[in-house]
Amino acid sequence: MFKLWTSIQKDVRLLTRDKVGLLLMFAMPIVLAILIAAIQNNTFKLVNDNKVGLLIYNNDTSKISNQFVTAIREAGMFEVSELSKQSNEKELALEMEKQDALVSIVIPENFSFKVEKKSKVLSALVFNDLGLGTDTLNKSAGPVDSVAIYFNPVLQESFRQSIGGAVRASLQLIENKQLIKNLYALVDENKLPSKLEDDILKSQIPIQELTAARNGSKIIPNATQHNIPAWTVFAMFFIVISLGSNIVKEKLNGSFVRLKTLPTNYLISLLSKQITYLSVTLLQVAVIFTLGIYLFPAMGLPKLNLPSDLFALFVVSFICGWCAVSYAICIGVFANTQEQANGFGAVTIVILAAIGGLLVPSFAMPDSFRIPMKLSPLHWCLEAYYGLFLEDGKLKDILMNIIPLLGITFLLQLISLWGLKRKNLI
């Protein structure tokens, strides 16, 4: 026990001297967690709390086109500005840049007339099909000129689809309104009462957004719940910069040879490194989670809500940290120089994070990445954390994520021992 304690003290001193390694292990994930959570949180709020700047060029200015503009305003996600008739696309792009608008809509001429004609034809066809009248109109209303939506090139496809969906919903509302008016006129030959019109159009079935959590929780996870676990896992595995370098340094300065002359075994030194750096990973978890709980709300970001099963959280953190330490030791054993350990270790962590779902959500991965994703230990770490943070699961619910992670950890330990024996270091 004395030998182990002495070895731990030596590893702690080496760790505290590694300023760059400590900076990467603590400062980098904290900055990443804050930046990514802030950006993602503002992204989620872009089409909810914040309003998207939208320019409307109304080349029609008749009743129906004005109702369409009103419907877009009432959608609640746009800051609408109406301008005079648009002359060309170059002028439109300059005006969008001038007013800092992300979207513009061009309503064509005769828009109201063609929408009205189309609704009359459709309503007459419905009555003819039911045998309630004779068709006195041309059964073809002719195509309605398309409403053009211009997007700022910086908008990603997901935002374009959301904005396009909101505009289509407003357009559909106007078309339905005209169809109801014409159907009512064919039945009653009177004008549709405004109250009845409002009641029909506003009687939409409500949509309730819920989460399919294991424990029945109805709380929708926020950006912090997604980002803090992900960047905590990333931070854990970046101890490869410090631990891998220390192992290579010991190999190069002859520490292994000196240990062979002493009444001890390098396995004790290896165990001390695991205890020391595993403690560091648990400290990383504590620091980053504490910032998520206390600092994030003070910065206007969503608060991190810890899962109900804190014991499961400790188990997952312990196993993730152990896997990270095992990976770092494996890199250090096989690297011949500190540059190799640092370069290869950092690059592979980024690659494993990318294919493991930290940089891109796993559900968005192409099918060809499914097998490599399951080989990444960061994937299983993240899935275990998500099972606790996003689904509020218990330890038994995430066992299928912990078991593969333990398997990868044991495999890394065996490979490291094999490498040490192959190089006659133990």
Side-chain angles (χ1 to χ4, degrees):
M1 184 60 68
F2 174 75
K3 296 177 182 178
L4 178 61
W5 174 244
T6 303
S7 185
I8 291 174
Q9 288 179 314
K10 181 262 297 182
D11 288 323
V12 169
R13 284 194 294 268
L14 289 175
L15 176 63
T16 53
R17 292 170 188 166
D18 187 5
K19 308 300 182 185
V20 175
L22 288 172
L23 192 67
L24 287 172
M25 286 187 284
F26 288 95
M28 182 195 65
I30 290 172
V31 172
L32 283 174
I34 293 173
L35 288 178
I36 302 300
I39 293 169
Q40 197 175 84
N41 186 59
N42 285 337
T43 300
F44 289 158
K45 293 167 61 178
L46 178 62
V47 293
N48 295 321
D49 298 339
N50 300 333
K51 292 188 177 182
V52 178
L54 183 146
L55 299 181
I56 295 182
Y57 288 88
N58 192 349
N59 296 318
D60 181 75
T61 66
S62 296
K63 183 178 180 181
I64 294 178
S65 64
N66 290 332
Q67 290 176 347
F68 177 41
V69 174
T70 301
I72 292 175
R73 290 182 185 275
E74 293 177 350
M77 65 179 295
F78 300 112
E79 189 68 43
V80 179
S81 299
E82 290 189 69
L83 300 177
S84 58
K85 289 188 177 183
Q86 169 245 358
S87 59
N88 55 60
E89 291 187 7
K90 182 178 180 180
E91 176 189 307
L92 182 146
L94 291 173
E95 193 65 36
M96 287 178 64
E97 182 178 351
K98 178 181 176 181
Q99 300 204 23
D100 197 24
L102 296 177
V103 189
S104 66
I105 297 176
V106 178
I107 301 175
E109 295 180 2
N110 299 323
F111 172 79
S112 299
F113 172 76
K114 291 190 175 183
V115 170
E116 176 70 19
K117 185 178 180 181
K118 178 183 176 182
S119 64
K120 286 182 177 179
V121 170
L122 290 176
S123 58
L125 289 174
V126 171
F127 267 69
N128 286 337
D129 191 55
L130 295 174
L132 299 176
T134 58
D135 187 7
T136 59
L137 294 173
N138 186 349
K139 291 187 178 182
S140 175
V144 179
D145 294 340
S146 62
V147 175
I149 305 178
Y150 291 86
F151 293 100
N152 189 305
V154 302
L155 280 179
Q156 295 181 351
E157 184 178 359
S158 58
F159 291 115
R160 295 200 302 268
Q161 290 176 348
S162 298
I163 293 170
V167 174
R168 290 186 188 94
S170 300
L171 185 57
Q172 189 68 46
L173 179 67
I174 299 305
E175 290 179 326
N176 291 342
K177 184 176 181 179
Q178 295 304 314
L179 184 60
I180 291 171
K181 277 186 175 181
N182 287 305
L183 287 173
Y184 189 88
L186 287 173
V187 173
D188 195 88
E189 297 184 356
N190 289 317
K191 184 179 179 181
L192 178 65
S194 58
K195 184 179 184 306
L196 178 59
E197 179 183 346
D198 292 338
D199 290 341
I200 292 174
L201 292 175
K202 293 179 180 179
S203 60
Q204 297 180 348
I205 298 174
I207 297 175
Q208 188 178 10
E209 295 184 2
L210 304 171
T211 56
R214 292 188 179 99
N215 68 341
S217 173
K218 301 298 186 289
I219 300 175
I220 298 177
N222 53 49
T224 302
Q225 302 292 107
H226 285 84
N227 283 286
I228 289 291
W231 297 113
T232 301
V233 172
F234 195 68
M236 286 181 179
F237 277 83
F238 247 87
I239 64 167
V240 69
I241 301 297
S242 179
L243 178 53
S245 296
N246 285 341
I247 293 176
V248 173
K249 191 184 300 182
E250 289 185 349
K251 290 193 299 182
L252 296 178
N253 64 19
S255 295
F256 284 86
V257 177
R258 288 195 296 272
L259 281 171
K260 284 187 175 183
T261 64
L262 299 175
T264 185
N265 193 303
Y266 184 69
L267 293 179
I268 293 179
S269 179
L270 207 59
L271 178 60
S272 75
K273 294 182 187 301
Q274 298 198 42
I275 294 174
T276 302
Y277 282 87
L278 180 56
S279 301
V280 171
T281 60
L282 294 177
L283 181 60
Q284 287 176 310
V285 172
V287 170
I288 299 174
F289 285 7
T290 301
L291 291 176
I293 295 172
Y294 297 105
L295 179 62
F296 274 37
M299 298 176 60
L301 297 174
K303 178 183 177 181
L304 178 68
N305 299 309
L306 293 179
S308 56
D309 193 343
L310 295 180
F311 175 73
L313 179 62
F314 173 79
V315 171
V316 170
S317 301
F318 182 89
I319 296 175
C320 290
W322 189 22
C323 186
V325 170
S326 301
Y327 183 78
I329 290 175
C330 190
I331 294 295
V333 167
F334 287 93
N336 294 320
T337 64
Q338 288 182 268
E339 289 76 14
Q340 287 182 1
N342 292 342
F344 183 80
V347 170
T348 53
I349 292 303
V350 173
I351 293 174
L352 291 173
I355 66 176
L358 272 74
L359 306 184
V360 178
S362 57
F363 63 82
M365 292 281 189
D367 292 337
S368 58
F369 275 72
R370 298 296 176 183
I371 294 178
M373 179 176 64
K374 295 184 183 299
L375 297 177
S376 170
L378 283 82
H379 166 72
W380 298 110
C381 293
L382 187 62
E383 288 299 309
Y385 270 127
Y386 276 177
L388 298 177
F389 279 93
L390 304 185
E391 301 180 20
D392 200 19
K394 307 297 180 184
L395 184 59
K396 60 182 178 61
D397 298 319
I398 57 172
L399 284 178
M400 296 309 297
N401 297 319
I402 292 177
I403 292 173
L405 190 57
L406 283 172
I408 294 173
T409 302
F410 290 142
L411 179 62
L412 290 171
Q413 294 276 343
L414 290 175
I415 293 175
S416 300
L417 290 175
W418 174 78
L420 289 170
K421 288 184 176 180
R422 183 171 175 269
K423 294 185 176 186
N424 296 318
L425 297 173
I426 59 173

